[in-house]
Amino acid sequence: MDKLLAPSLGEDDPIYCGLALRKDLPFLAEMFGRLMGPMKTEILVYLEDGNWVSVYYRTVASGPDGDTPIKIESLLMFRFEQGLIAELISKIDSLALFEQLGQMPPDTLLGCFSGQRLTWK
């Protein structure tokens, strides 16, 4: 991954919806691989404007047990400097992912909009 990232993107610069840092990228890649199992990605929309690129994509996987289908859509934006990624903005539908993995109840977002509260065990 470091071969793709510009030196100006510091180790402590936020990525992944601002929840993780550049130095966390290897861990995030491993975590998503373990949670989702083997993945396939389809680019739905690709836009380029100067040194910015935006990609809207769908990822499907069979789940960690090979029997729990997962489908999420995400958005990535990159800014390039000399062919390397200098900025990375990532919006992944984590709530949908965790619902499909059974870590959140189905329709969690609808429940939140209704004013319901989640009770953690």
Side-chain angles (χ1 to χ4, degrees):
M1 179 61 78
D2 280 335
K3 294 182 224 175
L4 302 173
L5 304 175
S8 61
L9 184 60
E11 290 292 308
D12 292 323
D13 283 347
I15 55 153
Y16 183 64
C17 306
L19 298 175
L21 307 175
R22 173 192 171 164
K23 63 186 174 190
D24 298 327
L25 275 174
F27 169 74
L28 285 174
E30 181 182 336
M31 181 216 39
F32 277 115
R34 286 183 182 191
L35 284 174
M36 296 178 68
M39 296 174 258
K40 292 183 182 179
T41 298
E42 173 189 8
I43 294 175
L44 304 172
V45 179
Y46 173 87
L47 299 171
E48 191 174 334
D49 184 16
N51 58 355
W52 278 96
V53 170
S54 179
V55 181
Y56 182 62
Y57 62 99
R58 177 181 301 126
T59 301
V60 295
S62 57
D65 57 4
D67 201 28
T68 308
I70 296 168
K71 180 171 77 172
I72 60 169
E73 294 181 0
S74 308
L75 175 70
L76 283 173
M77 294 179 67
F78 304 97
R79 184 177 61 79
F80 288 90
E81 287 178 356
Q82 300 175 353
L84 298 174
I85 298 169
E87 256 181 278
L88 170 64
I89 300 168
S90 173
K91 299 295 179 188
I92 297 172
D93 190 351
S94 299
L95 186 58
L97 172 62
F98 295 130
E99 283 180 348
Q100 291 174 61
L101 289 169
Q103 295 176 327
M104 299 291 290
D107 298 322
T108 297
L109 187 59
L110 290 175
C112 292
F113 281 129
S114 72
Q116 296 295 314
R117 295 176 187 245
L118 296 176
T119 303
W120 296 96
K121 293 181 181 185

